[in-house]
């Protein structure tokens, strides 16, 4: 089907047609084969159609050739030059196109034509002697002076929230000084999440994620950690499950655990790590897929727990619980998988003291829930926590709600069907006051990148592969776009690092305070947050999601709010309890010419920062 728009003529193929609840990065079992100079790409891993197109356009860009733009926007070469002196030393491999659906070690080549092909056969040999095959060895990275010590200091003082963003290549070094990165950069900086901690004996780890490149993940570890036991929890099925197993096959230490997804269009979208040391346990809840592209030039969020010590032998009952009930909530979340494999991790958590935790856990698990089970998951879980652990604020009806996300599901034909009814009711809850607010009077600000945000980003148009809002869904809910606000993050130096982070908050009318803050894997969708059924007596959730909620009361504040930090990476001139919101407030509403990024239509009228166009088909 061909259609015309202000962006030119575009075509929807049958494979692009999306279902109502296909809101996020639906796994795809096909892989790309790149023919050029007689070479083919390396092994692939499952990813969304949008991500595959992003990869394809990085590997084989469509160059913009309108000379009238030559002085308006710089090509990729100029962009790379502009990164010099910004705290990043790039190897040649860093400058070449990377891909969600192609491991970083795969050869890059000039591609004339892209076709879908069968999955490449995986090697059947095992990796011996703590060594990776030559083609899988990590690229060289230059060490940053004192980076390990700086990270240690960062984790042990000055950040009571333990909330971080990931490092971004190509921005000023001052904006990376308080950030974390997965790659090896210095001898004491093992993995940054947090395998770099010197003095700890790393023994066992568990990764929950959506999109996983096993070979890339293994390469992030120093040699001495590459044979430690690793459990990967995933949601792949059928061909994509077989592909993931083939990727893991060379590594005897890697085990896989499949999360059950019994409701159509659900995904295992949770991003969590549980890291066991001889000295204790650490939990990491974050927003990044376990692929190179998600840790390179995107804005991502991380909550990093304290190191939880082991309880004395024989301790039972509720020992080691926090005021936020984090320990029991994490155990209940793991038990929801109904997996004997994860029971081992339940026992590990029981043996540790999690009492220093100050955040609340908010998860989603697939199912239909009634009675008191409804409030265990999704947006009703958020509503329950806000009701029980926050207090009413004077003039709270003028405090808006902000939602910031990287993907959008079907909201229905108008705002009353979900967004401005059940979902808004959960987000505007403050305390147990019986006063009923007119929800329609409470502003909702939704932050989602514009076409120009993507075009002017560090990655250029391929960044849009991680923003899978489709034309099919967008056309059904044009009303939603009136709520949209641009992505801008000067406060963290990340205006040009497209967001894959997902956050929700309740700011004051002047945006100087926030009543709460949530970082999560959950995008703006009913599949992630849940939708009421049967006249509100049942909550149906399709996907696994996980996030952490920051409430002032858990941090010893009786004001009912946090102050917002003016600059995310500013020094000690602001109160330690000022919250580091990673993007600019107040958000700027779309202008009359702004359009939300839609991944499956072309953009050919203006070049991106690499001098290219976006042609998805």
């Amino acid at each position: 089907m061909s259609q015309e728009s202000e962006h030119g003529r575009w075509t929807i193929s049958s494979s692009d047609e999306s279902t109502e609840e296909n809101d996020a990065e639906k796994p795809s079992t096909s892989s790309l084969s790149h023919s050029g100079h007689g070479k083919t790409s390396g092994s692939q891993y499952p990813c969304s159609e949008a991500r595959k197109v992003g990869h394809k356009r990085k590997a084989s860009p469509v160059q913009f050739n309108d000379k009238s733009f030559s002085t308006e926007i710089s090509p990729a070469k100029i962009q790379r030059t502009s990164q010099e002196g910004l705290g990043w030393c790039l190897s040649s491999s860093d400058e070449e196109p990377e891909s969600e659906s192609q491991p970083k070690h795969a050869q890059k080549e000039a591609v004339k034509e892209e076709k879908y092909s069968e999955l490449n056969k995986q090697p059947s040999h095992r990796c011996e002697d703590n060594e990776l095959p030559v083609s899988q060895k990590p690229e060289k990275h230059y060490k940053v002076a004192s980076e390990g010590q700086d990270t240690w200091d960062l984790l042990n003082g000055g950040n009571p929230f333990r909330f971080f963003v990931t490092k971004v290549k190509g921005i000023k070094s001052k904006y990376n000084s308080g950030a974390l990165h997965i790659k090896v950069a210095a001898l004491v900086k093992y993995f940054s999440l947090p395998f770099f901690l010197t003095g700890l004996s790393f023994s066992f780890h568990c990764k929950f994620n959506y999109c996983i490149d096993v070979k890339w993940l293994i390469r992030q570890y120093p040699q001495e950690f590459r044979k430690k036991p690793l459990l990967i929890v995933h949601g792949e099925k059928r061909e994509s499950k077989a592909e993931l197993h083939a990727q893991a096959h060379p590594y005897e230490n890697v085990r896989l655990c499949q999360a059950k997804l019994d409701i159509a269009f659900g995904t295992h979208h949770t991003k969590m790590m549980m890291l066991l040391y001889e000295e204790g346990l650490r939990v990491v809840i974050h927003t990044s897929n376990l692929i190179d592209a998600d840790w390179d030039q995107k804005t991502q969020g991380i909550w990093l727990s304290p190191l939880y010590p082991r309880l004395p032998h024989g301790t039972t009952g509720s020992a080691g619980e926090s005021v936020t009930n984090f320990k029991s909530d994490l155990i209940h979340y793991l038990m929801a998988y109904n997996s004997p494999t994860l029971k081992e991790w339940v026992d590990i958590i029981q043996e540790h003291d999690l009492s220093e935790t100050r955040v609340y856990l908010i998860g989603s698990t697939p199912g239909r829930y009634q009675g008191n089970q409804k409030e265990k998951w999704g947006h009703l879980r958020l509503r329950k926590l806000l009701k029980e652990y926050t207090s009413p604020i004077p003039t709270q009806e003028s405090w808006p709600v902000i939602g910031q996300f990287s993907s959008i599901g079907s909201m229905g034909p108008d705002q009353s069907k979900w967004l401005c009814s059940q979902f808004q009711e959960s987000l505007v809850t403050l305390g147990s006051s019986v006063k009923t607010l007119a929800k329609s009077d409470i502003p909702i600000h939704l932050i989602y990148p514009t076409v120009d945000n993507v075009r002017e980003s560090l990655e250029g148009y391929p960044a849009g592969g991680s923003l899978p809002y489709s034309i099919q869904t967008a056309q059904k809910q044009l009303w939603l776009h009136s709520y949209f606000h641009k992505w801008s993050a000067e406060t963290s130096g990340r205006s040009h690092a497209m967001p894959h982070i997902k956050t929700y908050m309740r700011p004051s009318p002047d945006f100087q305070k926030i009543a709460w803050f949530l970082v999560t894997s959950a995008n703006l969708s009913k599949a992630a947050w849940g939708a009421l059924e049967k006249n509100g007596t049942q909550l149906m959730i399709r996907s696994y999601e996980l996030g952490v909620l920051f409430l002032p009361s858990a941090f010893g504040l009786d004001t009912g709010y946090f102050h917002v930090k003016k600059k995310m990476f500013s020094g000690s001139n602001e109160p330690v309890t000022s919250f580091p919101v990673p993007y600019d407030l107040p958000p700027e509403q779309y202008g009359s010419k702004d359009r939300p990024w839609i991944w499956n239509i072309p953009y050919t009228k203006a070049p991106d920062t690499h001098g290219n166009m976006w042609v998805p088909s």
Side-chain angles (χ1 to χ4, degrees):
M1 178 177 66
S2 295
Q3 299 190 31
E4 193 80 30
S5 78
E6 64 179 296
H7 305 295
R9 191 170 183 83
W10 44 272
T11 301
I12 301 175
S13 66
S14 59
S15 63
D16 287 331
E17 296 293 345
S18 63
T19 55
E20 278 207 351
E21 287 298 336
N22 186 9
D23 68 294
E25 308 155 307
K26 192 82 170 75
S28 169
T29 59
S30 60
S31 62
L32 293 171
S33 175
H34 304 294
S35 52
H37 305 290
K39 298 178 182 178
T40 59
S41 65
S43 60
Q44 306 296 309
Y45 53 86
C47 62
S48 67
E49 292 294 328
R51 291 245 186 188
K52 285 196 300 182
V53 170
H55 159 66
K56 181 169 69 173
R57 286 298 161 239
K58 270 192 171 183
S60 180
V62 179
Q63 191 164 6
F64 186 82
N65 54 16
D66 186 343
K67 294 183 179 179
S68 65
F69 279 86
S70 60
T71 59
E72 179 180 333
I73 199 158
S74 301
K77 181 178 179 181
I78 295 178
Q79 187 200 39
R80 287 199 297 271
T81 302
S82 69
Q83 295 172 1
E84 294 177 4
L86 300 184
W88 285 92
C89 299
L90 306 185
S91 68
S92 59
S93 60
D94 285 322
E95 297 176 348
E96 298 191 28
E98 297 301 342
S99 148
E100 179 180 35
S101 54
Q102 179 175 349
K104 188 170 181 179
H105 65 268
Q107 296 231 353
K108 310 300 188 297
E109 52 215 359
V111 181
K112 296 181 180 179
E113 180 179 344
E114 302 80 31
K115 297 179 181 178
Y116 293 97
S117 66
E118 296 181 359
L119 297 175
N120 292 328
K121 293 182 179 179
Q122 302 294 328
S124 59
H125 62 277
R126 298 279 180 175
C127 297
E128 303 293 343
D129 301 324
N130 244 8
E131 282 288 339
L132 290 173
V134 173
S135 62
Q136 298 177 25
K137 289 191 176 181
E139 296 82 355
K140 293 180 180 179
H141 293 274
Y142 293 88
K143 298 176 185 178
V144 180
S146 73
E147 185 174 13
Q149 184 61 47
D150 290 345
T151 305
W152 178 272
D153 294 342
L154 184 70
L155 297 180
N156 287 275
N159 189 341
F161 306 109
R162 309 190 67 85
F163 170 64
F164 305 92
V165 289
T166 55
K167 292 201 171 187
V168 172
K169 186 186 303 178
I171 65 175
K172 291 183 179 179
S173 58
K174 68 178 181 179
Y175 294 121
N176 280 323
S177 61
L180 300 179
H181 202 287
I182 200 170
K183 294 180 179 178
V184 177
L187 291 177
V188 295
K189 190 174 180 295
Y190 298 153
F191 205 63
S192 291
L193 301 180
F195 299 113
F196 55 87
L197 297 183
T198 55
L200 295 182
S201 300
F202 183 56
S203 58
F204 191 16
H205 51 143
C206 181
K207 303 282 193 301
F208 295 67
N209 219 289
Y210 173 73
C211 190
I212 303 154
D213 182 345
V214 178
K215 295 177 182 177
W216 175 85
L217 176 60
I218 295 297
R219 290 204 314 275
Q220 307 315 303
Y221 294 91
Q223 290 284 350
E224 61 267 32
F225 289 158
R226 289 181 182 175
K227 290 224 172 181
K228 297 294 184 179
L230 166 62
L231 176 65
I232 295 176
V233 183
H234 66 94
E236 305 296 351
K237 297 179 180 180
R238 296 178 290 276
E239 292 92 344
S240 56
K241 177 183 176 181
E243 181 185 356
L244 184 62
H245 277 259
Q247 286 192 48
H249 181 71
Y251 309 100
E252 293 180 332
N253 58 308
V254 176
R255 290 189 297 155
L256 299 174
C257 175
Q258 181 182 10
K260 295 180 180 178
L261 291 164
D262 297 329
I263 301 180
F265 310 121
T267 62
H268 183 258
H269 206 238
T270 291
K271 280 98 176 160
M272 176 171 65
M273 306 180 189
M274 295 187 295
L275 313 168
L276 181 64
Y277 310 94
E278 291 181 9
E279 295 84 356
L281 171 71
R282 199 183 293 276
V283 177
V284 183
I285 296 173
H286 61 106
T287 65
S288 303
N289 288 291
L290 294 176
I291 59 176
D292 181 76
D294 269 29
W295 299 83
D296 193 28
Q297 292 186 311
K298 300 186 189 303
T299 301
Q300 304 275 17
I302 301 173
W303 175 76
L304 190 71
S305 82
L307 182 67
Y308 299 131
R310 190 178 295 272
L311 288 166
H313 183 70
T315 305
T316 58
S318 60
E321 184 57 277
S322 70
V323 295
T324 62
N325 296 307
F326 185 86
K327 183 174 183 176
S328 60
D329 289 336
L330 180 58
I331 289 173
H332 289 152
Y333 177 79
L334 296 181
M335 294 296 288
Y337 284 77
N338 195 26
S339 166
T341 304
L342 288 175
K343 178 62 169 63
E344 181 178 5
W345 278 97
V346 170
D347 295 340
I348 289 172
I349 293 168
Q350 292 278 24
E351 296 169 355
H352 287 82
D353 181 356
L354 278 62
S355 61
E356 292 301 310
T357 312
R358 290 183 168 188
V359 296
Y360 293 85
L361 196 70
I362 295 184
S364 292
T365 60
R368 291 178 168 87
Y369 305 100
Q370 298 180 342
N372 60 7
Q373 296 296 304
K374 283 195 310 177
E375 295 183 326
K376 289 182 64 176
W377 312 112
H379 73 81
L380 293 188
R381 162 72 171 167
L382 175 61
R383 185 185 302 184
K384 181 177 187 291
L385 291 175
L386 294 178
K387 183 178 181 179
E388 293 182 355
Y389 299 108
T390 65
S391 303
I393 294 175
T395 68
Q396 67 188 53
E397 62 275 5
S398 63
W399 286 52
V401 168
I402 288 179
Q404 176 274 313
F405 38 82
S406 61
S407 183
I408 307 167
S410 175
M411 303 285 103
D414 60 62
Q415 56 266 47
S416 69
K417 295 299 184 287
W418 186 78
L419 179 68
C420 294
S421 54
Q422 56 183 280
F423 189 57
Q424 185 180 14
E425 185 174 344
S426 292
L427 269 63
V428 302
T429 299
L430 280 178
S432 55
S433 172
V434 296
K435 179 181 177 182
T436 302
L437 299 175
K439 294 189 295 294
S440 59
D441 294 336
I442 298 177
I444 298 179
H445 304 316
L446 303 179
I447 299 175
Y448 179 77
T450 66
V451 173
D452 279 344
N453 280 153
V454 175
R455 183 177 69 86
E456 297 168 358
S457 71
L458 292 165
E459 297 175 273
Y461 285 130
S466 303
L467 302 165
Y469 190 29
S470 71
I471 188 65
Q472 295 86 357
T473 302
Q475 285 180 325
K476 296 175 184 176
Q477 51 195 36
L478 297 177
W479 59 266
L480 179 65
H481 301 175
S482 65
Y483 293 90
F484 283 173
H485 292 66
K486 303 175 185 179
W487 171 255
S488 177
E490 294 302 304
T491 184
S492 62
R494 284 160 172 76
S495 289
H496 299 291
M498 288 300 93
H500 192 258
I501 190 175
K502 294 89 173 158
T503 59
Y504 301 81
M505 73 179 93
R506 186 83 186 272
S508 59
D510 63 1
F511 297 91
Q512 300 300 305
K513 310 177 187 73
I514 53 173
W516 53 267
F517 184 90
L518 171 68
V519 59
T520 176
S521 64
N523 280 302
L524 185 68
S525 78
K526 294 182 284 185
W529 284 102
L532 291 170
E533 300 176 329
K534 297 185 177 181
N535 295 319
T537 63
Q538 177 172 284
L539 182 71
M540 190 271 284
I541 297 175
R542 298 179 186 271
S543 297
Y544 293 90
E545 308 282 356
L546 200 62
V548 293
L549 175 67
F550 300 83
L551 297 181
S553 58
F555 291 86
L557 300 176
D558 56 9
T559 57
Y561 54 80
F562 301 110
H563 285 282
V564 175
K565 199 169 185 180
K566 291 184 174 123
K567 290 289 184 181
M568 187 169 186
F569 297 115
S570 61
S572 58
N573 55 337
E574 294 188 68
V576 70
T577 53
S578 295
F579 197 89
V581 176
Y583 47 85
D584 298 336
L585 297 177
E588 180 183 353
Q589 191 164 14
Y590 278 20
S592 59
K593 294 184 179 180
D594 289 316
R595 298 290 182 269
W597 171 262
I598 294 171
W599 78 269
N600 57 343
I601 62 174
Y603 300 100
T604 60
K605 292 188 174 181
D608 67 8
T609 50
H610 297 264
N612 299 319
M613 302 184 295
W614 178 256
V615 183
S617 58

